[in-house]
Amino acid sequence: MTRPLWILVFCAGAIMALSLGFRQSLGLFLTPISLDLGLGRGSFALGMGLMNLVWGALSPFAGAIADRYGAGRVAALGGLCYAGGLAALTLSGQGGQLLMGGLLIGAGLSGVGFSVILGTVGRAAPPERRSRALGLAAMGGSIGQFAALPYSHLILDLVGWQTGLMVIAATCLLMLPLSMGIAGSPQAMSEEGPRQSLRGALAEACGDRSFWLLNTGFFVCGFHLAFVAIHLPAYLADFGFAPWLAVTGLTIVGIFNMIGSYGCGHLGERYSKKNLLSLLYLARALIFMAFLVVPLSETTVILFSAAMGLLWLGTVPLTSGLVAQIYGTSYLSMLFGLVFLGHQFGGFLGAWLAGYIYDLLGSYDLIWWASAALGLISALLHWPISERPIVRREELAAA
């Protein structure tokens, strides 16, 4: 069954608003959970790191299932796992519940995150509109962050972290009816001709240097996002700032991310996607360095948040668009899921390593400088990527 593109993009964006928005708000719970349970920040950070790792590890499999059978059921199951993981965080224990919750949320995100949702949009959109459609769907995550952070902060203040997480889990069940809006036959949505075999698509991508450069470069994006989203609230609290500043900062990231995601999608239709990615990571590196050397104040936090927001998820329509441009759309969800796996390895390290280093040294400074250095490395890695559609080296299977 096919449906108008705008309906699919709207439902895809709404699912990403819920999944990415509430994922982004989990950093608000680091301090209250750690204090209430008497655990170091490393325990919560490990749970969030595992969330990112499982999300990445399962994304290629969820994407392959969505490529073959459609995304609706995959997204519905992902929404159930996501809500279950949030509920698991509220269980009593000595920290094991944080790991279990992180695992379940990560499994859920593999079904309602970038690879499945953007793969569906990428197949449905015609090539001349694909980059912008991907940007609009990714912008849903920005809108979700804008709405979810103040919503989560209000609930946290009103009912505490345990009941608050249960309320958020119930809200996330809205992903189930929304998944009906992206259901349908992937073959019907794909405008390509004969389809490769899955094995052929994997061999083709894995034998191409550009695919591995994308993987490695996207690792840095995951590191940046997980570190800032999870640890910025605690970092600001260490300097005596009130909680509202972290909420405001991350909300501003979401507001400006709406501009950045759509803007990068629009620019990707006119300019080289890999060159835009190089410039984006270079800009991130400069922003991290500036944030470290200027005096920390409410003004610098807000400026940092706005600048990071413009660059936050702009990587996603450009990276997924590159995968579609080079390798085609028949296995877009699965191939982007593999690229996203690199992103999530970075996310695991960004979340967990920052907490470990803080518990060890009592400071986040080393991670801030590492983030700047990684941004420079990623800028260099994207530059030699070849954007030309790959020349097929094997016979295409019959349609």
Side-chain angles (χ1 to χ4, degrees):
M1 179 181 64
T2 60
R3 54 181 50 81
L5 180 62
W6 73 265
I7 293 178
L8 190 148
V9 171
F10 173 81
C11 291
I15 290 172
M16 294 190 68
L18 291 165
S19 61
L20 300 184
F22 286 118
R23 168 192 172 261
Q24 201 79 350
S25 69
L26 290 174
L28 301 178
F29 293 87
L30 187 157
T31 299
I33 289 178
S34 298
L35 291 176
D36 200 20
L37 299 181
L39 300 171
R41 294 182 185 179
S43 296
F44 184 89
L46 179 59
M48 296 301 98
L50 286 173
M51 173 191 73
N52 285 295
L53 196 60
V54 171
W55 180 7
L58 295 183
S59 285
F61 299 100
I65 295 171
D67 285 333
R68 179 66 179 85
Y69 299 104
R73 293 176 181 175
V74 177
L77 181 59
L80 283 173
C81 289
Y82 193 109
L86 290 169
L89 293 176
T90 69
L91 300 176
S92 60
Q94 301 301 313
Q97 76 276 25
L98 302 180
L99 304 184
M100 180 172 64
L103 291 171
L104 283 172
I105 296 171
L109 281 164
S110 70
V112 293
F114 293 116
S115 59
V116 169
I117 305 303
L118 294 187
T120 301
V121 174
R123 279 192 301 273
E128 67 275 9
R129 298 168 59 193
R130 183 177 295 142
S131 186
R132 192 175 304 188
L134 290 168
L136 284 169
M139 191 172 70
S142 311
I143 296 172
Q145 183 178 344
F146 168 66
L149 279 161
Y151 177 77
S152 300
H153 180 60
L154 177 63
I155 291 174
L156 182 60
D157 279 349
L158 290 176
V159 298
W161 67 269
Q162 288 179 307
T163 304
L165 283 171
M166 292 299 293
V167 173
I168 293 172
T171 306
C172 286
L173 292 176
L174 290 171
M175 286 187 273
L176 273 65
L178 286 168
S179 67
M180 297 174 62
I182 63 170
S185 167
Q187 287 84 356
M189 289 189 287
S190 178
E191 296 186 354
E192 294 192 346
R195 288 164 59 91
Q196 289 175 289
S197 67
L198 185 147
R199 180 179 296 179
L202 277 173
E204 182 177 78
C206 292
D208 185 37
R209 184 186 70 157
S210 293
F211 185 76
W212 294 108
L213 290 173
L214 273 175
N215 268 278
T216 309
F218 214 28
F219 167 95
V220 176
C221 181
F223 188 97
H224 287 166
L225 268 58
F227 167 52
V228 174
I230 297 297
H231 293 278
L232 183 63
Y235 176 74
L236 296 178
D238 289 342
F239 283 88
F241 291 104
W244 71 264
L245 182 60
V247 176
T248 301
L250 291 175
T251 302
I252 288 173
V253 169
I255 294 172
F256 280 83
N257 191 23
M258 288 187 274
I259 302 170
S261 295
Y262 180 77
C264 286
H266 180 68
L267 290 172
E269 293 180 350
R270 303 181 60 187
Y271 303 104
S272 164
K273 295 180 182 65
K274 59 102 172 178
N275 290 348
L276 288 171
L277 283 166
S278 288
L279 293 174
L280 188 152
Y281 284 109
L282 175 61
R284 279 193 189 179
L286 296 175
I287 290 168
F288 281 125
M289 287 188 282
F291 188 58
L292 279 170
V293 299
V294 300
L296 189 63
S297 67
E298 294 175 359
T299 300
T300 57
V301 171
I302 290 172
L303 291 175
F304 167 79
S305 300
M308 282 298 296
L310 289 173
L311 310 174
W312 194 254
L313 290 182
T315 59
V316 175
L318 294 174
T319 303
S320 57
L322 265 181
V323 174
Q325 180 175 318
I326 298 171
Y327 307 105
T329 62
S330 292
Y331 290 99
L332 177 56
S333 292
M334 185 267 293
L335 291 177
F336 182 59
L338 286 172
V339 175
F340 189 68
L341 177 59
H343 183 284
Q344 293 310 96
F345 275 120
F348 169 77
L349 286 178
W352 169 73
L353 189 61
Y356 176 80
I357 292 295
Y358 180 88
D359 287 343
L360 189 67
L361 303 178
S363 170
Y364 286 113
D365 286 354
L366 181 61
I367 300 298
W368 284 111
W369 285 111
S371 297
L374 287 171
L376 295 174
I377 292 171
S378 186
L380 294 172
L381 288 173
H382 281 85
W383 202 260
I385 289 173
S386 173
E387 294 182 296
R388 293 189 302 273
I390 197 165
V391 177
R392 303 294 185 201
R393 290 185 294 270
E394 58 180 27
E395 292 184 359
L396 295 174

